[in-house]
Amino acid sequence: MSTRKKIILCVIGAALLFSCKAKRPSDTRSVTGGAIGVFIPGVMAGSATYEMLAQGVERAGKEKNVAVTVVEAGYNQAEWETSLTSMAASGGYSLIVSSNPSLPAIAASVSAKFPHQKFLLLDGELAGNAAIYTVRYNQTEQAYMAGYIAALKAQELGAARVGLIAGQEYPAMNTVIVPGYTRGAHAVDPDVTVDFRVLGNWFDAGKAAEIAHDMIANGVKVILCIAGGANEGIVQTAYENNAAVVWFDTNGYAVRPGVVVGSAIIRQDKLAYEKTLLFLKDALPFGSADIVGVAEGYVDFVEDDPDYNTHVSRTIREKQAAMIARIRDGSLVLQE
Ligand code: RBF
């Protein structure tokens, strides 16, 4: 073989070797390497649960010097799996973090095609997939606390009807949140009725306002808002009609002081932060599914807010506080 041919073969060999090496990182990606992707199933604006998710992951990323990319997938749910698949296919994320009850099934489907991709999913549940770890909240507790204050406020306003407006129906809404809310309201007064309505999306404030109007015309005085960006339409309608609203997921008193009379929250920012850190320590228990509630400090009702203390009567606050104390000390157990 001529020297020239030998050189050419050497160059080809080196190129092959190099190309194999270059590919390897995406196949045997270390858990701590690579950026973290946050997949928002919807948009962040108006949806506190998603804002908290991104905040928590970004805080962990900043602390550990890991890049965090947030991808908003938009409101078209039919496109979510394609978007999530693109993120996994890019090979650019050591972890994809997301949140909502529909994500575990979508991630499981993506996982079948990209088994190396790891997922941390909050507000959803799936055990048994080695690439997926989920944590959901005890939303029986969260909804019970919302229902309790809603019924107390309704009583004060002389009504025996409370409302709940949801962006859409989904199993956790129908089997956990609505029953928990009803249970909380009935603990105050077994004769209270619950008017549950569904908007059909998470953004249409105008349509949400119409629904709220109709509810109020039917005797509802307090409405629990779980409709993302559309919540503002409910608040405005309540304000114009001397009704009240209860906020879900985050502290909402400042949204409209005096109209928002309760905030039953989840600490999704804290949970996202802690679980992302755990992942970066290679200690996330993939394959398992956890649930956290009041006892663990991730579900709560905001009492120490000046707007709550100024605008909500002492009688209501004391009754609400007594109920919360019973959940905290374990004498009121709200298991799912
Ligand atoms: N909650 C929001 O605040 N904004 C949303 O855009 C939103 N989209 C959702 C889409 C689906 C398919 C499902 C199942 C839930 C969605 N939620 C949304 C509700 C959210 O996961 C959670 O149940 C509520 O925030 C109450 O904690």
Side-chain angles (χ1 to χ4, degrees):
M1 200 186 287
S2 73
T3 320
R4 211 171 149 238
K5 265 191 183 159
K6 272 186 194 156
I7 291 170
I8 290 169
L9 279 176
C10 268
V11 169
I12 292 170
L16 278 174
L17 233 158
F18 181 77
S19 71
C20 285
K21 267 216 168 118
K23 265 191 193 137
R24 200 165 294 144
S26 65
D27 294 333
T28 56
R29 212 173 307 130
S30 89
V31 275
T32 50
I36 293 178
V38 179
F39 179 84
I40 303 290
V43 304
M44 283 205 283
S47 290
T49 175
Y50 297 155
E51 282 170 350
M52 289 191 281
L53 180 76
Q55 276 164 16
V57 179
E58 275 168 350
R59 188 176 148 212
K62 228 171 243 154
E63 259 180 48
K64 297 291 170 189
N65 231 354
V66 174
V68 173
T69 305
V70 179
V71 175
E72 283 184 312
Y75 287 119
N76 186 349
Q77 296 175 12
E79 289 173 359
W80 289 356
E81 183 162 338
T82 310
S83 309
L84 193 62
T85 302
S86 311
M87 280 181 85
S90 77
Y93 304 104
S94 56
L95 179 73
I96 295 176
V97 189
S98 191
S99 147
N100 104 24
S102 75
L103 256 294
I106 297 172
S109 169
V110 174
S111 173
K113 287 171 270 171
F114 297 94
H116 295 296
Q117 182 63 63
K118 296 278 196 285
F119 295 92
L120 160 61
L121 306 176
L122 308 186
D123 184 25
E125 184 168 31
L126 177 74
N129 184 316
I132 301 176
Y133 170 63
T134 66
V135 195
R136 72 178 175 92
Y137 303 95
N138 181 335
Q139 291 196 302
T140 298
E141 291 178 335
Q142 188 190 4
Y144 183 98
M145 294 191 286
Y148 203 85
I149 193 126
L152 288 173
K153 184 67 187 177
Q155 250 180 2
E156 192 178 76
L157 294 171
R161 212 162 155 73
V162 296
L164 195 176
I165 301 179
Q168 74 184 86
E169 283 189 278
Y170 46 100
M173 177 56 67
N174 293 338
T175 65
V176 179
I177 298 176
V178 175
Y181 184 64
T182 307
R183 213 171 137 189
H186 283 169
V188 171
D189 176 0
D191 293 331
V192 165
T193 53
V194 175
D195 189 350
F196 171 54
R197 312 255 189 125
V198 177
L199 177 61
N201 63 64
W202 299 90
F203 54 83
D204 191 344
K207 193 176 168 205
E210 277 174 30
I211 295 173
H213 250 293
D214 196 58
M215 274 187 169
I216 293 168
N218 282 295
V220 167
K221 284 282 187 192
V222 187
I223 302 170
L224 172 61
C225 309
I226 311 184
N231 286 345
E232 62 179 84
I234 306 168
V235 174
Q236 183 62 24
T237 305
Y239 168 70
E240 288 163 3
N241 293 277
N242 300 315
V245 307
V246 175
W247 212 247
F248 215 59
D249 293 343
T250 190
N251 182 343
Y253 298 115
V255 171
R256 188 69 76 127
V259 175
V260 180
V261 297
S263 294
I265 65 162
I266 52 173
R267 297 199 198 281
Q268 171 124 302
D269 42 355
K270 181 173 182 260
L271 191 63
Y273 166 73
E274 292 170 355
K275 296 302 180 188
T276 303
L277 283 186
L278 216 54
F279 167 77
L280 293 170
K281 278 195 228 152
D282 202 6
L284 212 55
F286 289 103
S288 60
D290 285 329
I291 170 162
V292 293
V294 170
E296 294 80 14
Y298 298 94
V299 173
D300 210 344
F301 183 90
V302 184
E303 296 175 279
D304 61 347
D305 186 291
D307 285 326
Y308 180 66
N309 287 302
T310 308
H311 296 286
V312 179
S313 71
R314 179 183 292 270
T315 318
I316 289 183
R317 284 186 283 119
E318 282 177 0
K319 286 181 180 166
Q320 184 76 2
M323 176 275 294
I324 293 164
R326 286 198 295 129
I327 297 181
R328 290 226 174 89
D329 71 18
S331 57
L332 174 57
V333 179
L334 298 166
Q335 236 139 32
E336 311 202 314

